[in-house]
Amino acid sequence: MPSRRAPDPSATAKPLVIRMSPMAHFASGFLALCLLVMITMFPTWGAIFMVLPIIASYAIVRLRTIADRDTLTARTLLSSRTVSWDEVDGLRFDRSSWARARLRDGSEMPLPAVTFAVLPLLAEASGGRVPNPYE
C-alpha cells in the first residue's frame, strides 16, 4: 500500500504578484486627451508628446513585485532584480508611496506597487520573514 504524504505547502504555494491597479490606465487616457489639445496648438511637438501616455500605460503593465517563500523580485521599467529573502535586511517606507527593500550589502531595491496596505500579504508570502504590522 503506497504511503500518502501531505504536499509541501511551500512547493505548492503560488507566488504573490503585487502590481498597480488597472484603473490607472484611465489616468493615461486622460493624459492622452489633454495632450490632444497640444496637437491642435503645436502640431509637431504635440504629436511627439503623445508618447507619454504610451509610456505611462507600459509602466502600469510592467511595474510589479513578485514574492514567494524563497525570493523577492522587483520589475522596473527596464530591468528585473531578484534577491533571496536572506539578503533582505528590512523594508523602508519614505515619502514615496512604494516600499524599498534594504539589503544586507547596504543597497536598496525599490519594490513597485508595495504599499503599507499590502504588507500582510507580503508577510504571508514571505513565510513570516516580513513582519505583519497589523498583528
Side-chain angles (χ1 to χ4, degrees):
M1 180 177 228
S3 66
R4 299 191 131 224
R5 290 191 309 189
D8 181 17
S10 63
T12 60
K14 291 183 179 180
L16 172 68
V17 179
I18 304 168
R19 59 180 67 173
M20 294 177 67
S21 170
M23 295 297 289
H25 287 289
F26 283 114
S28 298
F30 185 71
L31 177 62
L33 288 174
C34 293
L35 289 174
L36 284 175
V37 173
M38 287 186 63
I39 289 179
T40 60
M41 294 169 49
F42 309 104
T44 305
W45 289 104
I48 292 172
F49 283 119
M50 285 303 290
V51 76
L52 294 176
I54 296 168
I55 293 171
S57 285
Y58 175 73
I60 292 166
V61 171
R62 172 90 177 145
L63 296 175
R64 70 184 63 171
T65 299
I66 304 165
D68 60 20
R69 295 236 184 248
D70 301 320
T71 60
L72 180 65
T73 303
R75 278 181 52 177
T76 59
L77 277 177
L78 301 174
S79 66
S80 288
R81 183 173 179 190
T82 301
V83 296
S84 115
W85 280 109
D86 295 332
E87 296 177 50
V88 177
D89 194 30
L91 298 181
R92 180 174 73 86
F93 288 90
D94 55 7
R95 292 182 186 210
S96 70
S97 61
W98 292 346
R100 301 181 72 77
R102 279 185 308 196
L103 303 178
R104 296 203 187 274
D105 65 2
S107 65
E108 288 190 343
M109 180 173 81
L111 300 177
V114 174
T115 61
F116 198 76
V118 299
L119 280 182
L121 297 173
L122 194 60
E124 183 179 335
S126 70
R129 292 182 177 111
V130 173
N132 185 347
Y134 297 111
E135 287 183 349

